[in-house]
Amino acid sequence: RIWLVWAVVLLSYLVPYTLLSGVALWYGSFLFWAVAGLVVIALNVFITKDFEEHSN
Amino acid sequence: MTESLIWWSIAIYLLIAIGIAIMSRQGPSESMSGYFLGNRQMNGFVSALSYSATTYSAFMMVGLAGLTYAGGVGALGFEIIYFAGVSLVAIFGPKFWAVGKKFGFVTPSEMLGHRYNSKHVAMAVSIASCIFLIPYSAVQLAGVGYLLQGITDGAITFTTGVVLATVIAIFFSYIAGIRSVMWTDSLQAIMMIVASTLVAFLVIQGLGGFGALFNTLATEHPQSLTVPGPGLFSFVTFLGLTIPWFFFSLSNPQVSQRLFMPSSLRSMRHMLIGFLVFGFIYTMVSVLWGFSALAAFPSLERADLATPTLLASEFVPPVLGVIVMIGIMAAAVSTIDSIMLTLASMVSRDVYANVKPNVSEKRQLLVGKFVVPVIALMALAFAELQLDLIAVLSVAASSGLVAMVPALIGAFYWKRGTSAGALASVVGTSAFVLLMYATGNSLLGLPAGVWGIVVASVLFVGVSLATKPHQASTDAFFTAISEELGKKRRPIADQANKRAAASL
């Protein structure tokens, strides 16, 4: 089972400085970055699922 | 907040923490792996809390809240990009763990020295880590001194605060090495996440709720909700801050060493996910503190007064304020004691044992234990002296440690990487970053945070292509990874059948 995480990082650089640069409300950059954080957690849960299958 | 309430609270915290540290002991640690890695048997829950406490220093509650106060929502973006960078553990973690288990590595620098078949690489990485991380620890200690002095109106002096934090850090390290550090880290992490979330909740309620807080910000401080915001987070500054921190989980030895410690990859997964959940909550709470301070106290003299002002305000009951204050002190201690242990293991394993070959494991451990207080006292002296050079080295730490990143990535993904390339990258980039910070931190309009990774990559790739790799050590390294990570857990039915057959 990472490029999706790097895509979220890239969007975290681009979107707040372009599309959201004029949105001075809580659902602007604040919400965008908060959702980005939650997406990163979800992707890590998915990507590391096969750590469970490894034998010691 | 009376002085006696603060001292009593510190005493109660210390009693609980020392009790936990003593209970964490599992007999005397006779080996480097036992003392510095917990015998590679740490479970996921404690690893997650300790990783969080080590990573999130006193900077979060004071610095990030202040950064939000001064620069607005860009501070959240900075933390989220760092946070996403910890996902590097999902791809590098198993490889670190596999070679650590196979070859018995204690430090990340030892691993690089083995991979590139060069003790000079191991020594260079260790020395560069000390150059950047001891001043970083000193600034952490100074932060504790200023915090205690500020909150008690000078009743607890700067020196008392700094000495107190140093003594606690040495004590936690000595009781049982990494085990006592990780268990006291866990206490600090739980205490801090609960208390800080409660403070955020009470303050936001006091300001009329989440909607009212953001309405106030939107009407009175609209720039705080956008980037570049009030001007602090220009895109170039944002890049310069975030690029080094994106690689934090690989570049900082006190956290990359943690990748050797979990008892299994399952524990490592729990460590990573536990850290991400903790980190997300902690980040949101710190940013909301900064926003709340901006809404409630918009004309503070300095941004780093945001947290002390909030804690001393009518929104926060004095007892909760003291708990958070001790939590901030403990956050600094939990970062410093981990750095001390990691640097001590590197000095002992990668400098002393390379200068004096064939030295016994017991002797290495003795040297490591001797180096712990030496590093602590150096940090204490630097904190007391408040030299400009120390402040520069501390600020340069995140950019300077990026020097290790190309050599680390190359260790796992590029067989053509050579010891000369790794050495040139580590030494050259460290010197380059220090030079940039000493001369104004701007080259062609870009800061060292951006240039560091570029220079390190160019040096590593360029010099490696001009020299020959050590084939035998490279092959052994890559074979160990594929063998160790190829082991699959058998289905439960298979395990039961095997046990039944064994009992016949």
Side-chain angles (χ1 to χ4, degrees):
Chain A
R1 294 188 183 208
I2 197 75
W3 69 268
L4 286 170
V5 176
W6 309 149
V8 171
V9 171
L10 191 61
L11 290 173
S12 291
Y13 277 108
L14 298 177
V15 174
Y17 277 91
T18 53
L19 298 176
L20 298 175
S21 64
V23 185
L25 294 160
W26 73 269
Y27 50 78
S29 297
F30 179 82
L31 181 65
F32 179 85
W33 274 320
V35 170
L38 290 171
V39 170
V40 166
I41 295 174
L43 286 171
N44 273 282
V45 170
F46 170 75
I47 289 167
T48 58
K49 185 79 175 72
D50 50 11
F51 284 24
E52 303 275 353
E53 294 165 13
H54 179 264
S55 167
N56 241 4
Chain B
M1 254 185 240
T2 64
E3 192 185 345
S4 64
L5 173 65
I6 290 167
W7 280 117
W8 272 109
S9 304
I10 289 173
I12 291 167
Y13 165 73
L14 280 178
L15 273 176
I16 297 170
I18 290 167
I20 285 174
I22 289 170
M23 285 196 297
S24 74
R25 290 193 297 188
Q26 285 192 333
S29 292
E30 296 293 341
S31 68
M32 289 286 282
S33 167
Y35 191 77
F36 291 110
L37 299 181
N39 275 327
R40 304 176 205 273
Q41 289 299 318
M42 301 310 292
N43 73 49
F45 180 70
V46 170
S47 296
L49 288 172
S50 179
Y51 194 104
S52 305
T54 298
T55 298
Y56 291 128
S57 63
F59 165 78
M60 283 295 276
M61 286 289 138
V62 182
L64 187 60
L67 203 57
T68 306
Y69 184 93
V73 75
L76 173 61
F78 160 58
E79 271 301 317
I80 289 295
I81 286 175
Y82 151 70
F83 175 83
V86 179
S87 304
L88 288 164
V89 169
I91 49 174
F92 284 92
K95 296 174 190 293
F96 262 81
W97 182 84
V99 292
K101 191 178 171 195
K102 172 78 177 175
F103 298 111
F105 299 139
V106 172
T107 67
S109 38
E110 182 188 11
M111 180 187 78
L112 286 175
H114 182 279
R115 161 66 179 84
Y116 294 112
N117 195 43
S118 163
K119 64 182 180 184
H120 294 110
V121 169
M123 291 168 79
V125 171
S126 298
I127 292 165
S129 298
C130 287
I131 288 171
F132 290 113
L133 285 174
I134 294 176
Y136 177 78
S137 301
V139 171
Q140 288 280 316
L141 285 173
V144 173
Y146 286 128
L147 179 82
L148 290 177
Q149 185 183 39
I151 278 187
T152 61
D153 280 333
I156 296 176
T157 65
F158 173 83
T159 300
T160 305
V162 168
V163 170
L164 182 68
T166 307
V167 170
I168 297 171
I170 294 173
F171 195 66
F172 285 175
S173 303
Y174 257 87
I175 291 177
I178 194 68
R179 290 189 65 83
S180 48
V181 164
M182 288 178 82
W183 278 94
T184 51
D185 278 2
S186 301
L187 167 71
Q188 182 267 319
I190 290 171
M191 185 175 91
M192 205 54 194
I193 198 84
V194 172
S196 60
T197 304
L198 201 54
V199 167
F201 179 77
L202 288 173
V203 171
I204 290 171
Q205 281 303 305
L207 292 170
F210 186 84
L213 167 64
F214 276 87
N215 279 340
T216 303
L217 293 172
T219 52
E220 294 174 24
H221 311 280
Q223 285 190 313
S224 71
L225 292 174
T226 61
V227 279
L232 191 63
F233 286 108
S234 71
F235 190 66
V236 168
T237 303
F238 192 74
L239 269 181
L241 277 172
T242 51
I243 288 176
W245 281 90
F246 177 81
F247 292 107
F248 181 91
S249 60
L250 293 181
S251 63
N252 275 249
Q254 76 276 20
V255 288
S256 62
Q257 190 178 40
R258 298 298 172 102
L259 302 178
F260 294 139
M261 297 181 196
S263 56
S264 64
L265 287 189
R266 192 164 181 264
S267 290
M268 181 177 285
R269 180 182 194 235
H270 296 169
M271 178 180 89
L272 174 61
I273 294 169
F275 165 78
L276 289 173
V277 171
F278 182 100
F280 182 76
I281 295 169
Y282 210 28
T283 296
M284 297 307 288
V285 163
S286 298
V287 167
L288 287 172
W289 276 26
F291 276 144
S292 300
L294 181 61
F297 314 104
S299 51
L300 291 177
E301 203 175 308
R302 296 194 324 271
D304 56 8
L305 291 172
T307 290
T309 306
L310 211 57
L311 292 179
S313 72
E314 60 189 21
F315 303 120
V316 183
V319 171
L320 186 58
V322 169
I323 290 171
V324 171
M325 187 203 73
I326 290 169
I328 292 171
M329 182 188 79
V333 169
S334 67
T335 298
I336 295 163
D337 58 15
S338 293
I339 289 175
M340 275 167 24
L341 272 181
T342 296
L343 293 182
S345 65
M346 292 169 97
V347 169
S348 167
R349 191 79 158 185
D350 305 315
V351 180
Y352 174 72
N354 276 328
V355 169
K356 202 172 176 180
N358 303 322
V359 70
S360 72
E361 180 95 348
K362 205 168 180 178
R363 182 83 181 166
Q364 284 180 44
L365 182 58
L366 199 66
V367 169
K369 286 181 174 179
F370 172 75
V371 170
V372 168
V374 171
I375 289 171
L377 292 173
M378 284 173 75
L380 171 65
F382 289 156
E384 279 291 320
L385 291 172
Q386 293 291 294
L387 300 173
D388 286 347
L389 174 65
I390 299 304
V392 168
L393 285 171
S394 170
V395 172
S398 62
S399 302
L401 289 170
V402 161
M404 332 293 174
V405 171
L408 268 169
I409 295 174
F412 294 112
Y413 287 100
W414 196 42
K415 290 186 176 182
R416 191 65 188 75
T418 70
S419 60
L423 200 58
S425 176
V426 170
V427 175
T429 308
S430 299
F432 172 81
V433 166
L434 289 175
L435 188 66
M436 271 201 74
Y437 273 94
T439 55
N441 192 22
S442 182
L443 178 64
L444 303 178
L446 295 172
V450 176
W451 282 112
I453 192 71
V454 175
V455 169
S457 303
V458 167
L459 284 173
F460 177 64
V461 173
V463 176
S464 287
L465 289 175
T467 49
K468 291 183 83 170
H470 189 273
Q471 208 55 52
S473 64
T474 303
D475 290 344
F477 197 83
F478 279 81
T479 302
I481 294 171
S482 53
E483 278 179 3
E484 189 57 50
L485 297 184
K487 294 175 182 172
K488 286 281 183 188
R489 180 176 280 202
R490 287 186 297 273
I492 289 170
D494 278 9
Q495 291 177 27
N497 290 341
K498 193 170 180 178
R499 272 198 299 273
S503 65
L504 289 175

